Amino acid sequence: MFCLSELEDTVRVPPDLLKLPLEVAIKKVLQKLFLDKVLSIGLCVSIYDIKSAEGGFVLPGDGAPTYKVVFIIVVFRPFVGEVIAARFKESDSNGLRLTLGFFEDIYVPAPLIPRPNRCEPDPCNRNQMRWVWIFEEQEYIIDDSYQINFRVENISYPPVPTERAEDGAIDDDGLGPVSWWEGCSERNNEDDDT
Amino acid sequence: MSGEEEENAAELKIGDEFLKAKCLMNCEVSLILEHKFEQLQQVSEDPMNQVSQVFEKSLQYVKRFSRYKNPDAVRQVREILSRHQLTEFELCVLGNLCPETAEEAVAMVPSLKTKGRAHSDEAIEKMLNDLSLVKRFE
């Protein structure tokens, strides 16, 4: 889910931004450092507010002032056990892939798809397999017609350590190195099952 | 967050710092991001160019998955849920998913029924009923 998180950081404001009001300049630097990056607390979506900025001292040998800034960011962070609404993206014989739009690495492995079910070639898309859930003698094709609620079972991070923003080593497209596996529950007009 | 306790929201073992951190419902995030976008529109001719992919797609997501759009309705929802001894986390999951029955609510937030907590089905039904009234008069 989305959370507000308070952080403190030392922010260097480059000289070309100094013509702007201080808060605007600091916000621009924070946006560059944090937006779309995956931190330990989650994926940073927006800078919410700057609580305080102190200092502004220019260190020897540097042309730019440095501030100690306390600020609040909006992050997205999944929790194991949390139920989240998503949309179907694609499926194959291993299972489903779901998406939130800003995050697309959500996988539901076959054993966690509601049973009874079956997997068959998708008549509309020869390269894909589709999953059909059978409930009370009704068949529900798992596709993008409905919102899919899923429960987060596991969150995994890549083996490559991610560096702080300054190095630019964090994934640029902002989707971060997280993948989750979860049990799938489909929400439709007739029935809800978790 | 303690390393020994495995994180599990279903039993509310999600780490103290997150229980205290302000969790936001999708409808609240929608208001926040919309506001940011409007601020950008005031200073830029092409605000879409100024926002990142993640911002744009997050805004799309929360707009789509919010039941409550009006700021007063959003405030009311948090107010109603706050009256029921829920943690921030539980409040937001319920506010996001809008279960219609107590059974659904407990399926989505099993921690409501853990030992020692006083959430009877009647109390949960009353809470859900109050929420549904907010929707109706938006």
Side-chain angles (χ1 to χ4, degrees), chain A residues 1-4 27 35-36 41 43-49 74 77-87 100-102 147 149 151 155 173-174 187 192 194, chain B residues 1 7-10 14 18 21-24 26 29 32-33 36 52-55 57-58 61-62 64-65 67 89 92-93 96-99 104 107-110:
Chain A
M1 61 177 45
F2 292 93
C3 302
L4 288 177
K27 221 172 228 178
L35 282 200
D36 301 4
I41 42 169
L43 168 65
C44 181
V45 170
S46 172
I47 311 291
Y48 180 70
D49 192 27
V74 180
R77 200 236 190 246
F79 294 94
V80 173
E82 182 187 351
V83 178
I84 300 177
R87 290 197 66 84
L100 304 181
F102 58 93
Q147 161 185 332
N149 290 348
R151 169 168 281 126
I155 304 173
D173 65 15
R187 181 172 241 175
D192 283 303
T194 350
Chain B
M1 186 153 66
E7 176 189 279
N8 192 334
I14 51 176
F18 289 105
K22 186 126 176 83
C23 296
L24 298 173
N26 292 339
V29 178
I32 292 172
L33 298 185
K36 299 257 165 218
S52 69
Q53 272 264 316
V54 167
F55 181 97
K57 298 225 181 270
S58 301
Y61 175 84
V62 292
R64 185 198 197 105
F65 290 108
R67 283 294 176 90
F89 174 84
C92 290
V93 176
N96 283 344
L97 298 175
C98 304
E104 227 183 293
M108 290 170 177
V109 188

Side-chain angles (χ1 to χ4, degrees), chain A residues 75-95:
Chain A
V75 294
F76 180 82
R77 200 236 190 246
F79 294 94
V80 173
E82 182 187 351
V83 178
I84 300 177
R87 290 197 66 84
F88 172 89
K89 185 172 165 77
E90 62 195 8
S91 56
D92 60 20
S93 47
N94 295 322

Side-chain angles (χ1 to χ4, degrees), chain B residues 17-94:
Chain B
E17 78 232 27
F18 289 105
L19 285 178
K20 284 187 237 136
K22 186 126 176 83
C23 296
L24 298 173
M25 295 185 284
N26 292 339
C27 53
E28 291 169 322
V29 178
S30 184
L31 293 178
I32 292 172
L33 298 185
E34 285 262 28
H35 180 66
K36 299 257 165 218
F37 189 68
E38 275 160 29
Q39 282 180 326
L40 265 181
Q41 277 174 325
Q42 284 165 6
V43 299
S44 164
E45 279 161 14
D46 187 14
M48 276 320 283
N49 230 357
Q50 307 271 326
V51 300
S52 69
Q53 272 264 316
V54 167
F55 181 97
E56 187 190 330
K57 298 225 181 270
S58 301
L59 177 53
Q60 257 173 34
Y61 175 84
V62 292
K63 273 167 97 158
R64 185 198 197 105
F65 290 108
S66 299
R67 283 294 176 90
Y68 313 96
K69 314 281 181 193
N70 173 297
D72 287 322
V74 172
R75 236 190 313 273
Q76 272 185 64
V77 169
R78 185 168 274 271
E79 205 184 296
I80 290 169
L81 290 171
S82 301
R83 290 189 227 136
H84 292 266
Q85 286 96 45
L86 303 167
T87 61
E88 280 274 333
F89 174 84
E90 292 169 329
L91 187 154
C92 290
V93 176
L94 292 174

